[in-house]
Amino acid sequence: MTVPADGCPGAAADGHRLTDLRRFADARGNLAVIECGREVRFPVRRVYYMYGAGAGSARGAHAHRKLHQLIVAMQGSFEISLDNGRGRCVHRLDEPTRGLYLGPMVWRDMAEFSADSICFVLASECYDDADYIRDYESFLQELRG
Ligand code: T46
């Protein structure tokens, strides 16, 4: 699958987008769907999830050079702060039917995890440590090209 420049239907030029997932509710409960070509427009090559957050846990503090991801709070809640070098914003994820698409070159910091939180992530590539930028000044320098 070719990843479009935005990586996600309607993604803003700032490299991220909140997207509502399709939900099918009936007497048995709820079923939510993430389908390649619809909710995500990147090939899903990896799935990972974080759970068991301790009080005051902080994660992230990096950007990715090439990776596209969709992040969902499958259970509980957490905050994710985003910075594309031109502006910053904070999102609280607290619904299993809301996904946050993150494209390349967006700095992210995650905090305020509820103890029951499960942060579920679909990623466009297998794990590659070389794709991470973990120093904020280096991130800004790479953005400036
Ligand atoms: C991201 C945010 C939202 C692996 O071996 N394979 C993997 O696929 C991942 C994701 C991690 N790891 C190892 C690497 C580290 O030794 O797991 C350890 C913890 O990873 P990290 O410190 O990168 O975790 P976070 O929560 O800071 O960041 C993760 C993702 O790495 C990152 O891509 O965008 O979640």
Side-chain angles (χ1 to χ4, degrees), residues 5-6 12-16 61-69 81-88 101-109 124 130-145:
D6 60 15
D14 57 8
H16 80 276
H62 60 253
H64 285 282
R65 294 187 170 91
K66 294 183 181 162
L67 196 67
H68 299 259
Q69 299 193 105
S81 306
L82 304 176
D83 178 346
N84 66 0
R86 299 181 302 280
R88 296 178 182 186
Y101 162 78
L102 290 186
M105 298 306 283
V106 178
W107 188 271
R108 79 282 320 259
D109 289 293
S124 64
D131 189 60
Y132 286 70
I133 308 172
R134 299 188 188 276
D135 175 69
Y136 185 70
E137 288 306 315
S138 303
F139 165 67
L140 294 179
Q141 275 181 13
E142 286 199 29
L143 278 177
R144 289 184 208 116

Side-chain angles (χ1 to χ4, degrees), residues 80-121:
I80 180 160
S81 306
L82 304 176
D83 178 346
N84 66 0
R86 299 181 302 280
R88 296 178 182 186
C89 62
V90 182
H91 293 288
R92 178 156 200 88
L93 296 187
D94 58 6
E95 293 175 43
T97 53
R98 175 146 279 212
L100 174 66
Y101 162 78
L102 290 186
M105 298 306 283
V106 178
W107 188 271
R108 79 282 320 259
D109 289 293
M110 302 168 74
E112 303 295 331
F113 290 88
S114 63
D116 64 345
S117 66
I118 301 175
C119 172
F120 182 80
V121 186

